[in-house]
Every structure is written in C-alpha cells, then in structure tokens.
Amino acid sequence: MAKKRRPQSKAAAPQIKDGEVPVVGAREPCPCGSGRRYKACHGRRAAHAATELVQRPFEGLPGECDWVALRELVPAATAELTLKGGLPEGVPAVKLATVLPMAWPALRRDNGTVLLGLQNDTASGDISRDLADTLQRALVAEPGTPVAAGRPAADGPRLQDLLDLDAPFEPIVHTGFEFWVENAENATGEVAASLERANAAAIPTARIPGLEGAYWCQAPEKNHLRWVTSYPEEQLLDALARLHAAGTSSLGEGTRLVGSFRAHGLVVPVWDLPSSMGADAVAEPATAFAERLTKALATDAPLTAEERRARGGLTNRQVTLS
C-alpha cells in the first residue's frame, strides 16, 4: 500500500507576502503555498474586497452631492474632469457624462477626448473604483472607439486617486444628448434618429445655482425639486422636522416637502411644486429655505412632541435607492 503523502510543512511552503500573491484560477492551488484552493484562500479576500459595498463612493471628491445627482437624478449632463498630474499626451480633455450611447462605460472620441459614463451597472461594490478602472482604460484606448465594461482589481485606484481634488466640479445640464457626437446639428440617418429618441425620453431638468446637488425637474402632473445634501442623516431629519412643524418647510404657495430618499450614503429631500413653477421661480425660495435649514441644523434642543411627529412622518416616507 502506498504511503500517505504528508502535508507540506510550513518551512517548505513558499514564503510569499500577501501583496505578492498572483491571481490564478479559482480552483487552482493558492500560490501562497497554503495547500488550499485560491478561491478559499487569498481569492476569498480579493472577492470580498471587490464586492463589499462602499456606502459613499464619491466621498472626498469635490461636488460629492452633484456626483450623486448626476448618477441618479439628471438625464443629460457633462462635467470637465481634472486629472492629477495633467492630461496624457493625445488626450485634449476628459469629461464625465451622465450616460453614453449604447450605455457604453466610456468613449474615446476621434480627437482623443475621453467621455466617462456615470449611469452604468458596475462590476464591484465600489462605483468609484469601477469608474477609475474604466477611465484608465479609456485614456489608452484607440481614438474613435468605445470602452467595454470590466472588473477592476480589488486594490486598484479609485477616482479619488486619479482626479485633482482641488479642482472644481461644475456640471453642465443639457436639454438633450447632442454632446454624444461632434457636430450633432449635422447628424443624419440612424444617428439623428437615436438622438431624437433619447431626447424625447429625457425629463427636463435644471440645476439650481448656488445650491450644490439641488435640481429642478418637470414632471407630467407636477414639478419637483430634489436636493442631494451631505449633512449627517439624523441631524438633517431633526432639522427638517423642526421646519416642518413650524410650517416653514415649503418653498412657497402650492409647494410641499413630501419626504426624502437615500442615494449613495446621502439624504435627498424632495418637494412637490406646481406645474407652473419653473426652475427660475424655485431658485430664490430654495435659497431662502437653505438659510432656514442652516439655522435649524445649528439647534440642538430636544425635539418637541409635534416635531417628533413630523420627524416620524418624514422617516416613514423615506426610501433608499442605493
């Protein structure tokens, strides 16, 4: 009878540091020498890191609230991105776009400009890491080609590592998707038809000047103001409850604070507006509300019974998008 093979001793196992373990097939022996399959050893850590949900993927980026708004609320918008160390040779500009044709993750235009799509499914639990991976691949893609989806390395860079964190983030909201193509006014055939279909489905939206993350949109029966905020959730809900109980949470006649939702770790209060109230008309009362909110946020007195009831109503109407 053949002798049983003794397990390899620790002394004989190759000594590889965690950061040096290469990626192999899930069922192959782990290169660290543990004797276990990769998926049950170092592969488990890599998979966990890739799927662990990052609650606030845009935290630390300039304009975090606008990043969330462009990801979840705004149909058509672009924003210039500034890279750390400047642009690579042959890349005249890098722009963030809410969505790209065919839901491409990114596109390298014929002139070398990179468009990075924000409203796409992601392969991991960290949107920032997924976007950074797509951006890096787009920067070296052949001009005139789209960039396919991919899975980033678990320890790959995030947007916070690639972008200049001192540069401003200024979204430009568009009425349509003409930014998809150069010289869109001369588009014909299927390109023109695609633009027409996309534009017809877009909800008219406008950014409120001076209020980061605040966007007006036009709906069939009533308009809305949705304001992505970065205030701590409990503190914000207390402040909104104080204003609601005091009858000062609206934005004027015919408007109403109807609740809030969470998106990427931030709270987004929502107001119903009359269909006759456009973006220009809501700007002034929204700014005035922001001043009232600032004062309410600075109050640390216990909530009154009426304020607690108002808070309960706001909490019961809260949903989570992501």
Side-chain angles (χ1 to χ4, degrees):
M1 182 179 295
K3 294 183 179 179
K4 292 184 179 179
R5 182 178 298 176
R6 293 183 180 180
Q8 194 175 33
S9 67
K10 291 184 178 179
Q15 301 299 308
I16 302 178
K17 297 180 181 179
D18 285 354
E20 299 173 346
V21 177
V23 176
V24 297
R27 294 180 176 275
E28 294 181 39
C30 187
C32 74
S34 65
R36 291 180 291 174
R37 291 179 177 177
Y38 179 71
K39 70 175 183 179
C41 192
H42 281 80
R44 176 181 294 177
R45 301 180 194 178
H48 178 72
T51 58
E52 187 175 8
L53 179 65
V54 176
Q55 296 292 338
R56 289 179 63 176
F58 306 116
E59 184 176 16
L61 292 174
E64 178 188 7
C65 297
D66 283 315
W67 277 88
V68 173
L70 266 58
R71 167 80 179 182
E72 299 295 339
L73 307 177
V74 183
T78 57
E80 291 277 349
L81 297 180
T82 304
L83 304 184
K84 287 181 179 178
L87 294 167
E89 184 178 355
V91 180
V94 175
K95 293 185 178 182
L96 183 73
T98 48
V99 68
L100 293 174
M102 307 297 292
W104 288 327
L107 172 67
R108 182 89 184 271
R109 280 183 168 164
D110 290 335
N111 67 357
T113 295
V114 167
L115 294 180
L116 178 66
L118 182 57
Q119 296 179 10
N120 287 301
D121 293 334
T122 53
S124 77
D126 186 354
I127 297 172
S128 178
R129 198 180 308 280
D130 283 285
L131 290 170
D133 175 72
T134 301
L135 175 57
Q136 286 187 310
R137 290 186 289 115
L139 291 171
V140 296
E142 288 294 323
T145 61
V147 177
R151 176 176 286 276
D155 58 351
R158 308 178 72 236
L159 288 175
Q160 290 82 344
D161 302 315
L162 302 183
L163 301 183
D164 183 349
L165 303 184
D166 294 324
F169 184 74
E170 295 290 342
I172 299 174
V173 178
H174 303 278
T175 57
F177 296 93
E178 284 73 17
F179 63 85
W180 280 353
V181 295
E182 298 176 274
N183 303 316
E185 64 276 6
N186 298 324
T188 59
E190 181 56 32
V191 173
S194 297
L195 283 174
E196 185 176 355
R197 288 193 298 268
N199 290 344
I203 297 174
T205 302
R207 188 183 185 208
I208 304 302
L211 292 181
E212 180 185 328
Y215 290 80
W216 168 94
C217 71
Q218 185 180 52
E221 296 183 359
K222 61 185 69 175
N223 299 338
H224 303 285
L225 176 69
R226 298 174 291 186
W227 184 13
V228 184
T229 66
S230 58
Y231 302 113
E233 181 173 346
E234 297 302 315
Q235 184 182 359
L236 175 62
L237 291 175
D238 281 353
L240 291 174
R242 296 181 197 278
L243 296 175
H244 198 65
T248 58
S249 64
S250 73
L251 303 177
E253 185 177 356
T255 70
R256 185 169 68 99
L257 174 64
V258 293
S260 63
F261 61 88
R262 301 183 192 91
H264 305 292
L266 302 184
V267 179
V268 187
V270 179
W271 287 262
D272 279 350
L273 312 173
S275 57
S276 59
M277 193 172 195
D280 292 338
V282 80
E284 184 175 342
T287 301
F289 173 84
E291 295 174 356
R292 297 196 298 272
L293 180 62
T294 299
K295 294 179 181 179
L297 287 165
T299 303
D300 56 5
L303 296 178
T304 65
E306 187 175 0
E307 290 168 347
R308 288 197 299 273
R309 285 194 294 271
R311 193 186 194 283
L314 290 170
T315 303
N316 289 337
R317 296 192 296 272
Q318 192 177 55
V319 297
T320 301
L321 292 187
S322 57

